[in-house]
Amino acid sequence: MAAEAMAPAKPAVRYRDEFAWWDRIKKPLFYGVLIGWSIIAVTPFYLTVVFSLKPLTHLYEAPFFWPTPFTLENYLKVVTEFRHLFPRWMLNSALVAGLLAVVRTLFCAMGGYAFARLRFPGRDLLFWAMLITMMIPGQVTLIPNFLIVRQMKLLDSLLALIVPGIAGAFGVFMMTQFYKNLPRELEEAAMIDGAGWFTIFFRIVLPISRPALLTLALFTFQGEWNAFMWPLIVLNSPEKFTLPLGLSWFKGEYYTVYSVVLAGSMFNSVPILLLFFLFQGYFTRGIAITGLREG
């Protein structure tokens, strides 16, 4: 023990010296991963734009990353080949997506406020049952939904797209998370003044919920604008088709003219891209509301 006490102490290795190499590379590595992932995510969309601007006869010829020769023939073909139906498809998509964005947002806000603020028997059980429905794949409920819509005699009409989508579990959950964080003093002050629950909701809570409502409306519009499977099942008449369903007609039975299909997909993507660039803050805020706040 005495010899150990007399031995010179080893110089302590400082944490910063030991991991200095990691401190030097972690920031470039972080940005490298972000740049690489961004390239992987953007490449499919970029190739869609490139191939939609190439003529069919040169579709499989190099260069593959630049539209040479350049042509707008594919876009012209999309518009002219179904010139009587194409405006109708766009109008149907806008009508269904826009109406559901408004109605579903209102109903989900009402449901979310009830779960977050009201006290009634079975509230927690109903909320957990609603959450369980979010974990069930949509394909499982296709047949029951189809049977219900057929029983209501709504097949081959736009109401078959609107009525089943009036409310959604995701929207109710998102608004519940938002309303749980509102200060209760607002409601208590309104109750002292004699306001009821409906007055509090429509005149106080709803106006201050505009950021969350707009976020939910954007998510709803995006989902319904791109919907394909459900319209394919319940619609039969071409004049009732939505835009994604109508563009599927460019796929042949034995072959597909990919340049025209890609040009058609760009028509379907442009409105969503515009919405995203205009309201990208609301998209990220919606993810934060549903993912970061306590349940």
Side-chain angles (χ1 to χ4, degrees):
M1 292 293 293
E4 293 178 358
M6 295 298 292
K10 294 181 179 179
V13 179
R14 298 175 58 189
Y15 177 84
R16 180 173 294 279
D17 296 336
E18 188 176 0
F19 294 97
W21 61 272
W22 171 249
D23 292 336
R24 286 195 298 270
I25 68 168
K26 67 179 183 182
K27 192 171 184 180
L29 182 63
F30 176 71
Y31 283 107
V33 171
L34 287 182
I35 293 172
W37 180 251
S38 300
I39 293 174
I40 293 174
V42 172
T43 297
F45 177 74
Y46 176 73
L47 291 179
T48 300
V49 176
V50 170
F51 283 96
S52 68
L53 295 173
K54 294 179 71 172
L56 179 61
T57 53
H58 297 78
L59 188 62
Y60 301 105
E61 298 177 0
F64 295 108
F65 294 96
W66 193 251
T68 303
F70 178 87
T71 181
L72 293 175
E73 180 185 354
N74 300 317
Y75 290 88
L76 190 62
K77 187 173 184 180
V78 171
V79 177
T80 57
E81 187 162 335
F82 296 101
R83 58 183 177 276
H84 300 299
L85 291 175
F86 189 78
R88 187 65 180 268
W89 294 340
M90 292 200 71
L91 180 63
N92 291 342
S93 287
L95 179 64
V96 173
L99 191 59
L100 279 179
V102 175
V103 176
R104 186 185 299 175
T105 299
L106 176 61
F107 276 82
C108 289
M110 296 171 68
Y113 185 73
F115 279 123
R117 291 300 205 217
L118 303 185
R119 298 287 181 270
F120 53 88
R123 184 195 66 167
D124 293 339
L125 181 62
L126 284 175
F127 185 72
W128 283 106
M130 183 199 67
L131 291 184
I132 291 174
T133 63
M134 293 173 59
M135 304 170 193
I136 299 175
Q139 292 82 357
V140 175
T141 58
L142 274 179
I143 294 178
N145 286 338
F146 176 81
L147 295 177
I148 293 172
V149 169
R150 188 182 65 174
Q151 194 68 23
M152 297 172 69
K153 303 185 185 306
L154 296 179
L155 289 179
D156 200 24
S157 71
L158 294 183
L159 287 177
L161 306 180
I162 295 171
V163 173
I166 285 177
F170 169 76
V172 175
F173 170 70
M174 177 178 165
M175 296 308 299
T176 302
Q177 299 301 97
F178 177 79
Y179 287 133
K180 281 182 178 177
N181 292 277
L182 286 183
R184 291 188 177 274
E185 288 77 9
L186 292 173
E187 299 163 331
E188 292 171 354
M191 286 181 178
I192 292 174
D193 291 338
W197 284 112
F198 281 96
T199 304
I200 293 173
F201 177 74
F202 284 103
R203 302 190 63 177
I204 297 175
V205 174
L206 211 55
I208 64 176
S209 309
R210 277 179 294 184
L213 296 175
L214 184 55
T215 301
L216 179 58
L218 289 172
F219 277 125
T220 303
F221 187 90
Q222 179 196 24
E224 296 302 326
W225 181 271
N226 292 324
F228 179 79
M229 180 63 74
W230 182 245
L232 177 66
I233 292 174
V234 297
L235 298 180
N236 295 319
S237 304
E239 63 272 12
K240 305 284 181 58
F241 284 178
T242 55
L243 187 58
L245 189 58
L247 292 176
S248 66
W249 274 25
F250 290 102
K251 295 180 180 178
E253 185 176 359
Y254 301 105
Y255 70 94
T256 299
V257 184
Y258 285 105
S259 57
V260 179
V261 173
L262 293 175
S265 68
M266 290 304 302
F267 278 104
N268 194 60
S269 302
V270 166
I272 300 301
L273 289 175
L274 290 176
L275 281 177
F276 177 77
F277 285 119
L278 289 174
F279 303 101
Q280 54 182 309
Y282 290 98
F283 278 98
T284 54
R285 188 177 303 173
I287 296 172
I289 290 173
T290 55
L292 298 181
R293 293 187 179 179
E294 296 179 356

